[in-house]
Amino acid sequence: MTQKIAWIIDSLGYLTPELAARPDVFVAPLTIHFGTDSYVDGESLTTDELYHKINTTKSIPTTSQPSAGYFEKLYRSLKEEGYDCAIAVHISSKLSGTFASSNAGAELANFTVHTVDSLSMSYGMTYMLERGIETYEETKSIEQTMQVIQNLAAKLQNYILIGKLDQLYKGGRMSGVQYFLGSLLKMKPVVHMNDEGLLIPYDKVRSEKRGVQYLIDRVTEKADQMTSCLYIMHGNVEERAIALKEAIHKQIPNLDIRIGEISSSIAVHAGEETLAILWFEDDGKM
């Protein structure tokens, strides 16, 4: 029997125009804090405004997860709207407590929510949600849908070229010595989200130009293993993302490449000018 399902994603995921247009997709926003001022990600602070504040204020921005109370209110409202259950894809539990808050809120609301620890973020979460929607529309089976989504966890391939070292430093993710040496040598760190859902240092390059070539090389090495499209995510540098797409297309003309912007909650930590490539090597089919 077909059920009325609400699809949940938190604001660390990338919301495509197609997902944003669906009335059954709901975004649980994180909160961004600048000192005593707080902003709801995607609602009361745009990414342009965020970068301006980062560059013009001494306050170090931080983020906080949606509370269990927020999720309780959301899930009670969904129940009142006639939804039978929800499927929620959340940021890696190793990076945020959102997954736990969602579970707690569902219990408080006495509402059935099938939660997924994506072990990823950004487009990784997006693709899992898209595949879930596609699978349920094909099978009408929540069990099969959840199996497909969970099969994708830990299958994300990604390389993230950090844009500005000073943002990593301000956010406490790089020591003063590392920041000084990195700035002196004009190093560009590459980080990677591993199959346990942790962000780890992966490599480093000497310049932006070499960093972009590093991303191109990773794609050309592994293009035949991609089962999803390639997503290029950027931090307020769309022109660089477009140039990267064009450079990759010169090597692999038929590759499906899409471009998106990292959310404000990710930008708080990754910083402006960040470029990332993300794809899956598995489509989650059983």
Side-chain angles (χ1 to χ4, degrees):
M1 182 180 71
T2 302
Q3 297 193 59
K4 186 178 181 181
I5 299 176
W7 302 89
I8 315 295
I9 189 170
D10 52 75
S11 64
L12 283 157
Y14 171 62
L15 197 66
T16 65
E18 293 78 14
L19 289 176
R22 292 183 63 104
D24 56 353
V25 171
F26 300 85
V27 179
L30 276 74
T31 301
I32 299 170
H33 307 277
F34 276 90
T36 58
D37 297 327
S38 297
Y39 305 89
V40 179
D41 186 8
E43 296 180 14
S44 58
L45 185 72
T46 66
T47 51
D48 286 343
E49 291 168 339
L50 170 69
Y51 293 126
H52 177 73
K53 291 182 73 68
I54 287 173
N55 292 325
T56 60
T57 183
K58 293 182 179 179
S59 295
I60 298 172
T62 60
T63 57
S64 61
Q65 69 212 37
S67 67
Y70 169 86
F71 280 110
E72 178 188 8
K73 183 178 179 180
L74 172 62
Y75 295 146
R76 286 190 186 278
S77 69
L78 293 177
K79 185 162 56 173
E80 290 171 1
E81 291 174 25
Y83 284 95
D84 298 301
C85 66
I87 294 177
V89 178
H90 291 304
I91 175 72
S92 169
S93 62
K94 298 293 180 62
L95 302 179
S96 169
T98 303
F99 177 77
S101 289
S102 181
N103 281 325
E107 185 174 350
L108 290 168
N110 192 27
F111 183 63
T112 301
V113 182
H114 306 276
T115 51
V116 179
D117 182 353
S118 70
L119 303 179
S120 64
M121 61 181 179
S122 190
Y123 171 68
M125 298 162 61
T126 306
Y127 184 70
M128 293 172 75
L129 192 72
E130 290 173 335
R131 286 289 296 124
I133 292 172
E134 289 172 1
T135 302
Y136 187 74
E137 290 177 348
E138 292 170 0
T139 66
K140 309 303 180 188
S141 167
I142 290 178
E143 182 180 357
Q144 291 183 51
T145 298
M146 288 300 296
Q147 187 169 351
V148 166
I149 296 174
Q150 289 166 345
N151 284 349
L152 286 170
K155 299 294 186 180
L156 177 69
Q157 300 299 312
N158 61 96
Y159 299 90
I160 305 161
L161 181 67
I162 297 298
K164 290 188 175 180
L165 292 182
D166 56 352
Q167 188 54 36
L168 275 181
Y169 174 61
K170 283 182 180 180
R173 283 155 176 78
M174 176 178 283
S175 72
V177 172
Q178 289 173 317
Y179 173 67
F180 173 75
L181 292 175
S183 299
L184 185 67
L185 299 173
K186 296 184 178 180
M187 298 298 294
K188 303 287 286 185
V190 178
V191 299
H192 169 75
M193 179 164 274
N194 68 12
D195 58 9
E196 296 179 356
L198 287 168
L199 275 174
I200 59 171
Y202 191 82
D203 213 334
K204 53 190 176 183
V205 292
R206 283 290 181 89
S207 66
E208 174 72 22
K209 182 177 180 180
R210 290 184 180 182
V212 171
Q213 187 59 51
Y214 183 95
L215 299 181
I216 295 170
D217 291 344
R218 301 293 78 73
V219 174
T220 53
E221 287 172 1
K222 301 187 176 183
D224 60 345
Q225 301 171 21
M226 297 180 189
T227 58
S228 69
C229 69
L230 172 72
Y231 250 100
I232 298 173
M233 306 301 295
H234 68 90
N236 203 32
V237 282
E238 185 177 18
E239 71 285 351
R240 294 187 189 176
I242 292 171
L244 175 57
K245 176 180 178 179
E246 292 172 348
I248 294 172
H249 266 159
K250 287 182 180 179
Q251 302 289 327
I252 315 167
N254 297 322
L255 184 62
D256 183 6
I257 304 176
R258 304 174 194 178
I259 293 174
E261 187 173 16
I262 60 176
S263 71
S264 296
S265 293
I266 296 176
V268 163
H269 305 294
E272 196 170 10
E273 299 181 10
T274 290
L275 279 175
I277 52 173
L278 306 93
W279 72 91
F280 280 87
E281 292 184 349
D282 193 320
D283 63 6
K285 290 181 180 178
M286 295 166 284

